[in-house]
Amino acid sequence: MEVCSNNNQSFTGRPKANKILTKARDAFNEVLPELRSPTKFEYDFFENKPKTKEEMLELNDRLRFVRSFLENIYKEEGKIGYFKSQIGLVKAFNVANCYEFAEIGKTILRMNKIKNADIFALYAKSPNGTIRNLDHGICAINVGKSRNNKANPAPFVAKPNTKIFDMWLNGFIGKVKNARKIYRQIGLKDDEVLMLKPLKTLEPDNKCLNRVQEEFPKLKILTNSNV
């Protein structure tokens, strides 16, 4: 599996944040319904997954094309071109892995005033201190700058109340302390602690977000009246 201002924003200070996350999930699913992912092939709990190895390989080919095309767009058009094209390409080819799910989720949340949304890889720490990669990327909210260090990324034990927004995993929204059961499905063991590792990503500025909104207005779920 290949792996999304106000830096004091908190969910206690802004009671509408949970509603925003739910609406963001609905908007994602409306714009990108039943999005396919080749990495779901190995997990039985997914309903919308490749049914055969051949289908999984075909989806991988589509995903490689999307990523290669986006890389070229970024070289030619910069960040605005990248972000305005990503959702359209993923929609046209109906394919994404966890990284695309996380990055698009981050874009939607940033567009809707969740400014501390970012993308992380999931890791697990055992009681003896062994750290292993769970090979999965997610969007998390309100991780402090000292831990979200993209210049020198390192896994850290996630705070129990850190919010997770995981569209790849059936649109899971919840706190780290309540995520054990859901991530047990992808390999987290009962005696392990969930860790996050910052991922180096492109950062969408307001110009990028405005361009995405022009292309996909349904992803803008907030107005001045409901902020």
Side-chain angles (χ1 to χ4, degrees), residues 38-39 41 50-61:
T39 52
F41 178 78
K51 304 302 181 184
T52 65
K53 186 175 181 179
E54 290 73 21
E55 185 181 357
M56 183 267 291
L57 293 174
E58 192 269 335
L59 286 175
N60 267 322
D61 286 340

Side-chain angles (χ1 to χ4, degrees), residues 105-134:
K106 171 183 171 178
T107 299
I108 297 171
L109 294 181
R110 291 277 187 93
M111 187 188 305
N112 290 286
K113 304 185 185 301
I114 305 294
K115 296 181 180 180
N116 281 348
D118 217 332
I119 304 172
F120 299 84
L122 287 190
Y123 280 70
K125 184 177 182 180
S126 68
N128 66 9
T130 300
I131 297 174
R132 65 187 184 91
N133 190 348
L134 290 177

Side-chain angles (χ1 to χ4, degrees), residues 4 99 103 106 110 115-121 138-140 143-154 156 197-204:
C4 86
Y99 183 84
E103 187 166 54
K106 171 183 171 178
R110 291 277 187 93
K115 296 181 180 180
N116 281 348
D118 217 332
I119 304 172
F120 299 84
I138 57 95
C139 186
V143 175
K145 284 186 176 181
S146 61
R147 291 189 166 190
N148 189 12
N149 184 349
K150 295 180 184 294
N152 187 27
F156 60 88
K197 180 181 178 181
L199 290 177
K200 295 181 179 180
T201 60
L202 294 175
E203 292 299 315

